[in-house]
Amino acid sequence: MVAIVDHGRPARAIHPLHAVLLAASLPLFLGGLLCDIAYSRSFEIQWSNFAAWLIAGGMVFAGFSLLWAFIDLFRAGRRRGRGLPYFVLLVITVALGLVNAFVHARDAWGTMPEGLILSAAVTLTALLATWFGFSSFRMGLRMGDTR
């Protein structure tokens, strides 16, 4: 059985490569947050270095996901509104991640507490963007609706 969404169109799944790019950014940003927490408790400079590299990696994957979402936004046609919250969350994630990367480019003592706060915000927006990204293509389905 195929689940049917509005106007008789079948639900679209996220492209597998897009899913990999989107899903890869979340653990990297989460790792950056955990490294910032470790640095704030131990003041070992290497934790700040780890956080900076993890944030940079998360930015690479989030940037490619944003590019893919931007292209999908225009390919969606009339269903454009469904991918818009996902696209906006990705824009916020990339913008906060860029500011966070700039904060982590300072010396280790200069990253706290802004780096920790920004890492938490980026991780939260990355989590929300991943959630919306995997669910936005199936919006419109109701429980048990298999028409």
Side-chain angles (χ1 to χ4, degrees):
M1 288 193 279
V2 174
I4 304 295
V5 185
D6 327 271
H7 306 20
R9 294 185 186 119
R12 252 182 359 125
I14 191 169
H15 190 277
L17 182 58
H18 187 181
V20 168
L21 293 171
L22 179 61
S25 65
L26 181 60
L28 291 169
F29 286 131
L30 178 61
L33 173 63
L34 294 175
C35 287
D36 277 342
I37 291 171
Y39 175 71
S40 71
R41 295 183 183 231
S42 69
F43 295 106
E44 276 296 321
I45 294 173
Q46 195 60 33
W47 287 116
S48 181
N49 294 336
F50 290 154
W53 280 104
L54 287 166
I55 291 164
M59 287 295 296
V60 168
F61 286 104
F64 282 121
S65 295
L66 178 63
L67 178 63
W68 198 304
F70 181 71
I71 292 168
D72 260 358
L73 198 61
F74 290 105
R75 286 184 26 201
R78 284 186 276 162
R79 297 174 290 164
R80 187 174 306 173
R82 294 202 177 145
L84 191 61
Y86 165 60
F87 177 74
V88 169
L89 279 169
L90 270 178
V91 167
I92 293 169
T93 301
V94 169
L96 284 174
L98 185 63
V99 172
N100 196 16
F102 287 149
V103 167
H104 280 82
R106 292 190 244 166
D107 112 325
W109 290 97
T111 62
M112 289 295 143
E114 296 92 4
L116 181 62
I117 294 166
L118 284 168
S119 288
V122 169
T123 302
L124 178 65
T125 58
L127 175 68
L128 290 173
T130 303
W131 185 288
F132 273 77
F134 281 108
S135 65
S136 67
F137 293 100
R138 293 179 180 85
M139 288 178 14
L141 286 175
R142 293 181 296 252
M143 284 300 264
D145 189 11
T146 58
R147 288 185 235 175

